[in-house]
Amino acid sequence: MVFGISFSPLVPVEFVWAAAVIAAVVAALLVLARGRGVLTRIAALALMVLALANPSLTREDRDPLTSVAVVVVDKSPSQNFGDRALQTEAARAAVTQRLQRIAGIETRVIEAGQADGETDGTRLFSALNATLADVPPDRVAGAIFITDGRVHDVPADAGALGFAAPVHAFITGTPDERDRRIVLIAAPRFGIVGQNQTISFRVEDEGVRASPAEVKISRDGELIDRRAVTAGRQVDVQVQIPHAGQNIIEIEAAPLEGELTPVNNRAVVSIDGVRDKLRVLLISGEPHAGERTWRNLLKSDANVDLVHFTILRPPEKQDGTPINELSLIAFPVRELFTPRPSGKLDDFQLIIFDRYARQAVLPNVYLDNIAKYVRNGGAVLVAAGPDYAGPISLWRTPLDAILPSEPTGHVTEDPFYAHLTELGRRHPVTRGLEGADEDPPHWSRWFRLVDARATKGTNVMNGPDGKPLLVLSREGEGRVALLLSDHIWLWARGYEGGGPHLDLLRRLSHWSMKQPDLEEEALRILVRGRDITVQRQTMADAAEEVTLTSPSGKTRSLALTETMPGVWRSTIEATELGLWRANDSKLAALVNVGPANPREFAEVTSTPDVVAPLANATGGTATRIEDGSGVHVPRLLGVRGDTFHGDDWLGLKIREASVVRGIGVLPVFAGMIGLLLLIGILAATWTREGR
């Protein structure tokens, strides 16, 4: 219960002050005059002024409020190293038990940092602020952190905390910890396919003298370099980017004897391989309705550098026109179809023959060069016309060694629908084409098909009577695609509703140029949030089990389930951050979960130095709880002064906060009391004057 006095003036405050000044002047004059009854008159004047001020006696009924102490328990991944987890639990039990013994303290215990490795390190002060969001600053008794000291959101000054109370830190771990880690200095995010990229790093040893360390460098799981590196020195390594898409580079240092953990001995760099320009050579044997379809498709792709030639006047065509009157550009056969160093054949990723026949434009020696170009890693796509079935067919050239289908000599010119074969439903070039699941397919008919027998490769589309329409084949290091019709332009023109020509031709050309997403046999790991999906693309009837290896080396076997034709998947929750591996008997895949090199694992040795400056600024302290014989937690006391730590004790600030439950008000000059006071003083004055 608290007593007090309050004023509620009956007139404006200015009049009260004016009356007080007048009364003071009159009182001074009375004192100077030394008349009788001076004190009585002064008392009368004072009561009159007080009556104008209207004082009231107040009484407040208050209930004291508890002071709030927060215990923040660090549950970040680095707390799992060594005996830190056991030390943390022992300290938490001791702290909560001792806080319960302090009268007037309300204890709040929170765990923080479990998923902070995915963001920006261990963020304990953010959790503290969230816990105190509903607590006024004048009720905060302080905070106690149980952590290894590697906290990444420590405020720059104590004023940013939002309260004036001590912060204490109990540091887990031991002072003699040692650790080796890889520190990335510079690493590119993108690289041109076929070119080298420079990665800079250094090895750092903590707790021991710097010594040489063996470092292994791997790309996509394959060892590409091994070297001895002196700790503390920058190392630059050149890594070639062999393919488009993700190229995962691992830099791994040999473990240090007795080190805390090897988890940060490895650094991961993911470099996206991009092609500078995909150079495509398009050769149209003659002008025809579908020629523009190929040109428009390739010109619309900003990644493609297209060189297009249309043969308008083959050498055997002699009509008597003088050469000097012709405005045709000569076909640069020697320059285009001769390999390096004298020619540019190897500069192209894809050569397309669009209704091209043996027209004496390309001598056999150059066609033989093209066959060798394919075996060495190039690609040829043939969009065949009626000439493919005749005596001037490309089949009757040195290209027959790489072409996957032999013409029978007949051409079907009846309307038909193109259908996907069973293998075509699994192949990434044709899988999921819009309209393919209906019968007949929801696309327009074609009216010409070159009859052929598939001699090798994969037939992914059929024409009438099961005749091959689109055949894909691998030849040596390269690829060959054969489209046995020249009527795909009907889809492009919208005839009978058209068809998915853009999807088909784009996938076809990109498969020929070895786009990783269109590989028939592929193993991939996909990450979404905390879920890992292992995906196997295969042309087989079933997918074998996959072995999944976590960053810590734990393995598990996954049975995959078919989710669409040719695609098998299995999804699990990622319980660890870092590099995950999947492999079966043929393929392997890598993926990084979370940041490539989490800040949480950059420095893992325990230390009080990070939080000590802030703790000292608040009157608290940062101290280790492992004293060599076990966990030792200092005594905890409630303190009403400004000193919050001493020998073997730590203090929390006991607040005087309270809440008002009731208020009583008694006006002094209202009612009978005020009337009696005024009448009494006037009577006393009259009596004194009457003597």
Side-chain angles (χ1 to χ4, degrees), residues 95-172:
V95 168
T96 53
Q97 183 180 21
R98 295 178 185 183
L99 287 177
Q100 290 173 357
R101 300 173 184 170
I102 303 177
I105 290 289
E106 174 190 340
T107 304
R108 297 187 181 184
V109 181
I110 58 167
E111 295 181 350
Q114 292 94 329
D116 287 346
E118 297 180 8
T119 53
D120 192 23
T122 302
R123 308 186 66 80
L124 302 186
F125 283 88
S126 299
L128 173 65
N129 293 336
T131 304
L132 292 176
D134 61 338
V135 180
D138 60 356
R139 286 190 59 199
V140 179
I144 298 175
F145 291 84
I146 305 175
T147 175
D148 57 13
R150 295 298 181 180
V151 184
H152 301 108
D153 64 341
V154 180
D157 58 82
L161 289 172
F163 60 84
V167 171
H168 303 293
F170 292 156
I171 307 300
T172 60

Side-chain angles (χ1 to χ4, degrees), residues 367-435:
L367 293 172
D368 187 56
N369 286 343
I370 295 175
K372 294 176 181 177
Y373 152 83
V374 171
R375 293 190 183 97
N376 292 331
V380 164
L381 193 158
V382 177
D387 293 333
Y388 190 74
I392 59 173
S393 170
L394 278 177
W395 177 263
R396 306 184 189 282
T397 70
L399 289 183
D400 66 344
I402 64 171
L403 292 174
S405 294
E406 177 184 2
T408 64
H410 301 285
V411 177
T412 299
E413 295 194 338
D414 297 323
F416 68 92
Y417 285 101
H419 288 83
L420 298 186
T421 65
E422 187 60 33
L423 291 178
R425 296 183 182 279
R426 301 177 189 172
H427 201 288
V429 169
T430 49
R431 181 180 62 233
L433 280 179
E434 185 178 357

